[in-house]
Amino acid sequence: PILWILMDTLRADTLYGPTNQFELAPEIGEFAKDALVFTDAESTAGGTIPATASLFTGIHNLTMDASAGFVPKWAPTVAEHLYAAGYQTHAVVDNVIVEPRTGFGAGFESYFQKSSFRFAFSLPGFRILPEWIMMRLRVALKTFYFGAPGVTAEAVRKIEEAGDNPLFLYVHYMDPHAPYDAHLDIAPDPEGAEPIFYYEWRDHLLNGGKERPTPGQQVMLKHRYETEVTYMSRHIKALLAAWYKRYGKSGLIMFVADHGEEFLEHGNYGHGTSVHRELVNIPLLLQFPEGSLPAGKEKGLVVEPISLVDVLPTTLDAVGVTPIKGDGDFSIQGQSQWPWLKGEAEYKARPILATHSRNKRRAYRYREQSDVYLKTTFYDGRVWRGFYQLDSDPHELTNLMEGEFTVPNIEKALSTRFEVAAKGLSHAQSALSEEEKDASEESLRAIGYIQ
């Protein structure tokens, strides 16, 4: 049995805490004591749809361009792989844009979601309203989400009613996502905190507004975000209890996020604007079936970098499922980390890529170990570039391509290798001539995505 838990919009540093002790989420911390905790996992995008699509398919957004809003039919999903292998496949999803009609439901026998309520806000009467009014109505009417209690209750029901075949259950929590509800029973608002309406400030900053939130407003926003994590963790405890009661330690359990959240680190709130570290460094915890890993390798911190695109092939490899074939030659681009985790192979570093298109821009990230090259192309023709070194600048605050910090040659080499990677991956989705296919495969082989 396999349980995938996605915690939307959750930063790794928020969940783990500064000492990897899960101060805000002790229930998940208890789980972590018997799991592998990846401290350097990176998402493939800074937004939900492209990141979740990569998680489901093991394919880069450069190839399938899920920023367009859907998973292409030629890309088999995790549920399709597992259903073909005899699994029961069920999803409980609290994010209204991760929809069956856009490809995310492929392979699932049931897909529990509140998506029907979102269409009320697509009616003409709502569309003529200013966005800030629409967002206030959405918050006030609570039409979007079930919240952790409703998600957990439905997921527990799926576990209790599951048949004898192995179960694949995907559970998608939304609590750490804005608008950050208050949970005063968990922790009262700190002294000096000031009210703030997230969506109004998010759009103000995105549109180039010069005014900034007060320190008190910033304190309030981060506090509310953190208490949402605590609230979610408390309800996840009941989900894990039901899972262990039914399956014991015989299954594979994964915790992950689709992307993180920015709190002014690079001038914005929210996500979807960039692929800086605060948006791509995500929590990843894996508990494999008891006895499947050698003693001493089944739990602990894992510091080696890993990409979200590797989760699907690693999962399938660990449970012995052979992937089904898609329509193209590049059905899965991620790399199974299972042989390395078992100690049967050396860790193999590969470039880690992320990209998405949103907010009138396309953001790219290309990372080799500590070196990070960023490129943003705006729809009006502007191009921004950044180069960072994580060893000395873990929060990517000093752009080494600007002013006195310029580091020649290194960023030039990285940007060149990024362009090679982007070209190879973006061409992989199409029907190519033999000459084009050879060029694409050469590019992919150069960066280690095919052998």
Side-chain angles (χ1 to χ4, degrees):
I2 301 169
L3 173 63
W4 273 13
I5 300 172
L6 189 145
M7 306 165 291
D8 207 295
T9 319
L10 184 54
R11 296 166 59 130
D13 57 2
T14 299
L15 180 64
Y16 296 166
T19 59
N20 296 310
Q21 295 299 311
F22 296 81
E23 290 92 342
L24 296 174
E27 296 82 7
I28 299 176
E30 281 299 310
F31 168 85
K33 291 178 181 178
D34 292 314
L36 294 173
V37 179
F38 294 79
T39 60
D40 196 3
E42 287 200 357
S43 179
T44 53
T48 294
I49 287 181
T52 308
S54 287
L55 172 67
F56 273 29
T57 64
I59 299 173
H60 278 287
N61 197 37
L62 277 162
T63 296
M64 60 183 170
D65 199 17
S67 293
F70 60 91
V71 180
K73 292 182 179 179
W74 54 260
T77 68
V78 57
E80 289 179 292
H81 292 298
L82 293 172
Y83 183 79
Y87 276 75
Q88 307 167 77
T89 55
H90 300 284
V92 180
V93 179
D94 210 18
N95 188 316
V96 297
I97 64 173
V98 181
E99 298 179 87
R101 66 174 187 160
T102 55
F104 289 97
F108 283 106
E109 298 173 75
S110 73
Y111 203 95
F112 181 83
Q113 191 181 42
K114 200 175 185 177
S115 59
S116 59
F117 287 89
R118 70 183 288 237
F119 297 112
F121 291 91
S122 299
L123 297 174
F126 283 99
R127 289 204 301 267
I128 64 174
L129 296 174
E131 185 177 8
W132 69 270
I133 294 179
M134 292 176 60
M135 297 312 300
R136 286 185 182 275
L137 285 172
R138 287 172 173 169
V139 172
L141 297 176
K142 297 187 180 299
T143 60
F144 261 27
Y145 312 125
F146 286 105
V151 171
T152 295
E154 182 63 20
V156 168
R157 188 175 72 83
K158 294 294 186 187
I159 294 168
E160 292 174 345
E161 296 179 357
D164 294 333
N165 286 353
L167 172 66
F168 170 57
L169 179 61
Y170 174 72
V171 185
H172 190 134
Y173 286 91
M174 276 294 285
D175 302 270
H177 194 286
Y180 313 142
D181 290 339
H183 297 287
L184 301 181
D185 57 322
I186 291 175
D189 292 331
E191 184 176 352
E194 300 173 7
I196 179 172
F197 185 61
Y198 164 86
Y199 292 107
E200 197 168 22
W201 274 105
R202 181 201 65 180
D203 294 344
H204 166 78
L205 296 168
L206 184 61
N207 292 325
K210 301 301 181 184
E211 187 180 358
R212 289 291 182 269
T214 66
Q217 289 175 312
Q218 177 76 342
V219 166
M220 173 71 87
L221 206 63
K222 294 193 73 172
H223 170 72
R224 292 281 175 90
Y225 176 74
E226 291 173 352
T227 55
E228 286 276 42
V229 175
T230 302
Y231 178 74
M232 176 182 64
S233 177
R234 291 182 178 181
H235 289 280
I236 283 176
K237 179 180 180 180
L239 170 59
L240 291 174
W243 181 269
Y244 288 132
K245 180 180 179 181
R246 177 71 190 267
Y247 297 113
K249 294 293 184 73
S250 66
L252 183 154
I253 304 176
M254 178 193 70
F255 281 84
V256 75
D258 48 353
H259 55 78
E261 189 80 321
E262 181 182 349
F263 292 96
L264 299 183
E265 286 89 347
H266 292 92
N268 287 290
Y269 278 146
H271 48 272
T273 53
S274 78
V275 279
H276 276 290
R277 182 72 169 170
E278 64 272 9
L279 292 179
V280 299
N281 184 206
I282 54 172
L284 175 62
L285 297 84
L286 281 165
Q287 187 180 92
F288 291 100
E290 192 171 43
S292 62
L293 286 174
K297 292 184 177 293
E298 74 281 4
K299 58 185 176 181
L301 297 181
V302 181
V303 299
E304 288 85 353
I306 187 173
S307 171
L308 184 68
V309 80
D310 296 332
V311 169
L312 169 64
T314 302
T315 296
L316 297 183
D317 205 2
V319 298
V321 170
T322 301
I324 61 177
K325 296 294 185 182
D327 293 334
D329 294 329
F330 303 96
S331 294
I332 293 180
Q333 296 166 336
Q335 176 176 284
S336 172
Q337 303 294 344
W338 185 235
W340 162 56
L341 295 174
K342 289 193 296 181
E344 297 176 355
E346 295 293 322
Y347 170 77
K348 183 178 180 181
R350 294 195 305 168
I352 297 179
L353 291 91
T355 183
H356 66 259
S357 181
R358 191 180 174 193
N359 294 318
K360 300 180 180 180
R361 69 196 73 185
R362 180 150 201 134
Y364 301 90
R365 179 184 182 89
Y366 180 81
R367 174 184 172 188
E368 291 183 1
Q369 299 293 77
S370 178
D371 295 335
V372 176
Y373 171 72
L374 300 182
K375 177 182 178 182
T376 300
T377 58
F378 293 86
Y379 293 178
D380 61 10
R382 291 177 294 134
V383 178
W384 173 89
R385 292 179 174 85
F387 173 61
Y388 302 87
Q389 293 183 309
L390 293 175
D391 286 346
S392 57
D393 182 20
H395 302 295
E396 297 177 356
L397 300 178
T398 302
N399 185 357
L400 297 176
M401 294 185 75
E402 294 179 349
E404 61 182 295
F405 301 109
T406 301
V407 179
N409 301 325
I410 297 178
E411 76 257 11
K412 183 177 180 180
L414 272 182
S415 64
T416 299
R417 292 200 288 275
F418 158 72
E419 297 296 344
V420 170
K423 182 178 180 180
L425 289 169
S426 63
H427 285 178
Q429 66 176 325
S430 306
L432 306 177
S433 68
E434 286 304 312
E435 183 179 350
E436 290 172 325
K437 183 177 178 180
D438 289 344
S440 179
E441 289 184 355
E442 183 179 353
S443 297
L444 291 170
R445 189 172 290 107
I447 61 170
Y449 278 96
I450 60 175
Q451 302 302 317

